[in-house]
Amino acid sequence: MNCYTLIPLMLIVVQLWPCSSTTQNHSTQNTEQSLTAVRRVKRGWVWDPLFVTEEQPSEEHVYVGQLKSDLENKDGNLEYILTGEGAGTIFLIDENNGKIYVTQKLDREKKPFYTLRAQAINRSTRLPVEPESEFVIKVRDVNDHEPQFLDGPYVATVPEMSPEGTSVTQVTATDGDDPSYGNNARLLYSLIQGQPYFSVEPKTGVIRMASQMDRETKDQYLVIIQAKDMVGQAGALSATATVTINLSDINDNPPKFQQRLYYMSVSEEAPVGTTVGKLFAEDSDIGENAAMNYFIEEDSSDAFDIITNNETQEGIILLKKKVDYESKRRYSIQAKVVNRFIDDRFLEEGPFEDKTIVKINVEDADEPPVFTLENYVMEIEEGAMSGSLVGTVTARDPDNADSPVRYSIVHGMHLKRLFSINEHNGTIITTKPLDREIASWHNITVTATETRNPEKISEANVYIQVLDVNDNAPELPKYYETFVCENTVSGQLIQSISAVDQDDSAEGHQFYFSLAQEAMNSSRFTVKDNEDNTAGIFTVKSGFRRQEQFYFYLPILILDNGTPPLTSTNTLTVTVCDCDTEVNIFYCRYGAFLYAMGLSTEALVAILACILILLVFFLAIVAIRQQRKKSPFSEKMEEFRENIVRYDDEGGGEEDTEAFDISALRTRTVMRTHRPRKKVTTEIHSLYRQSLQVGPDSSIFRQFISEKLEEANTDPSVPPYDSLQTYAFEGTGSLAGSLSSLGSNLSDADQNYDYLRDWGPHFKQLAGMYASHRSVGD
């Protein structure tokens, strides 16, 4: 590289010419000028392109080139001056011989070239002997930048057991050197670490799988990739990048139990659902590939169950039913574990499951006493004396110690203490006589407690049935309402009766009916037993009189079939009714009511008549008050009927306004907007007086007509249809003068219209109208 710094720059001053702006033009023109100058001996600047290599040491000035003029003599009369970029700081010139030196280390990546200007002057006169000329010093690139991986560090993931050649990821490096000059920026990738599992493409940096790898053996690899510039030649710079390659899991491993045989134990007093132990099968896979389910395959006792904990992937063995140390002390079960999700690609390698044996020992515990029965059923007759034996309960300690047991009864706060128990032998006796009709069953709870360990307690239910004893006599089930007619004949059935008994009978109830002994001879009735737990009441004699005896009381004797048999006497009331032979229940009840009230029929009729009269009187008053009230709606209806008028004759047309009231045709809206008619008499009077002196074409006349038309249009009392409005305009020159009364201050009653008769036949009808009007006024 330093050979470039030794290239001399010869300037032969032949003639002063302007220089071009580019380095290549300078070189071409000056070379040509140099050759021409030698031949023609002309003055001018001549130089080759100047180069300086970057990154050269700056301890000493480094020679770049030389500026020279052919006018230079040995006496050193010429002085060289350098200006431009870096002149005097980066670049120095020897003013005596024109040699240029660089004083600092340059960096092409910061500034690739410098533009300077050279000039030669006479030392004595200080006048230029050469014009100022511009030239360029280029900074030549050296391989001073190593490649860089800007996106690192790299992390990639690839499934385990992927085939050879599978693309993993791609790395890319950059180089800051000049890519257009030499091989300084041309990179080559290679694998420093990662063989023989991975490979890299030299030109692209793509990393590929070089062999199949198992995640369970190693799940992460650190691969080092090197990038060299200068296509890997000697002296090249390099950089490395680390690529972390993770192997993702696939389900290629079955679960395996840690042990072939497990030992567990459970206490015999453990409740159902107790955790006996846990199993754990290892699976080299992770995530859902390691999910598994546990099962129990062989358990003849069906005393245990197993569930899977999805979080810990453990198999939890639970107690399915209680175990007894004295009955069976050891259990053996076989458990199986199976992968929940299976990859079909690896089924050839074998089933994804495993089995193990679990031995479970039952531990002895201090158990509470055990009753011979869970529920006891006992019987006792009702009415038994206090202290009578009901039954005996028995409990024992199931442990080998066989501890004595103490018995007791759990008494509820709301229950009476009807029973007691012997705490040593479990004998239950009554504390008071029992009545089956009050309670036929009694439920009590008996406890058995170990004397050596009072905390060990067990309970048993005792159901005591109270047996029936015939201690209740039969009786009539209800009150019988019995009537007999005054004209009833002998032997007539008047009532059927039955009986009930609160006692129970194993063979069924059988009742016997009869008349009490004291009433047999004097009674007018008899009782006939139907032998089906019913009986009939019959008359013995005919004819009964209410005045003599209104009620008869029959003592009826009822006997049951119990042991011993019990009897009861029930009284049946027979009421005499005022009837022939057939009993009318309503009429007979009415008669019995009057008899009980002490009233006769006539008195009751009189009371009812008074009540009826008062009721009629009250209704009459109410009716009269209703008649006095007038209905406003009826008046409205009358008004409506009055306003409906029917016409059968033909009207006179629009000019006939006397047949009906035209205001009825007005709508409510028009009536609401009615405004009082303006009092325009004075105004019309003034206008009329003026019209006597003007003709029909006068503006006053037209104003008069317009106001009359406006008045007709806004007057709500005129017909709603189009009508003809007629106005008389009297001109001048009439012999009769004005016929209008507007100009008179007198009323119609004060005026004398007799002169109208003198006007001739044309005014005859008018004279008659005013004459008649006057006579009516008088």
Side-chain angles (χ1 to χ4, degrees), residues 70-81:
D70 59 355
L71 298 178
E72 181 181 357
N73 297 322
K74 292 182 180 180
D75 55 4
N77 193 33
L78 290 182
E79 180 182 348
Y80 295 94
I81 299 175

Side-chain angles (χ1 to χ4, degrees), residues 688 730 736-742 755-756 759 763 766 770:
Y688 177 73
E730 185 177 355
S738 177
L739 297 179
S740 175
S741 61
L742 297 176
Y755 59 91
L756 295 176
W759 289 0
F763 298 93
L766 183 61
Y770 279 89

Side-chain angles (χ1 to χ4, degrees), residues 167-201:
S167 176
V168 179
T169 187
Q170 182 179 14
V171 296
T172 303
T174 59
D175 195 316
D177 292 324
D178 189 359
S180 63
Y181 180 77
N183 296 324
N184 293 342
R186 294 182 63 185
L187 304 179
L188 188 69
Y189 298 94
S190 60
L191 194 64
I192 302 299
Q193 177 180 315
Q195 300 92 347
Y197 309 109
F198 302 95
S199 64
V200 62
E201 294 183 358

Side-chain angles (χ1 to χ4, degrees), residues 569 633 712:
T569 301
F633 184 74

Side-chain angles (χ1 to χ4, degrees), residues 676-705:
R677 186 172 182 178
K678 295 188 299 183
K679 190 173 183 180
V680 296
T681 306
T682 305
E683 182 180 357
I684 295 175
H685 172 75
S686 174
L687 293 174
Y688 177 73
R689 287 301 182 188
Q690 296 179 18
S691 66
L692 294 178
Q693 286 80 28
V694 298
D697 295 334
S698 174
S699 60
I700 298 177
F701 175 78
R702 287 195 298 271
Q703 183 181 358
F704 173 78
I705 295 301

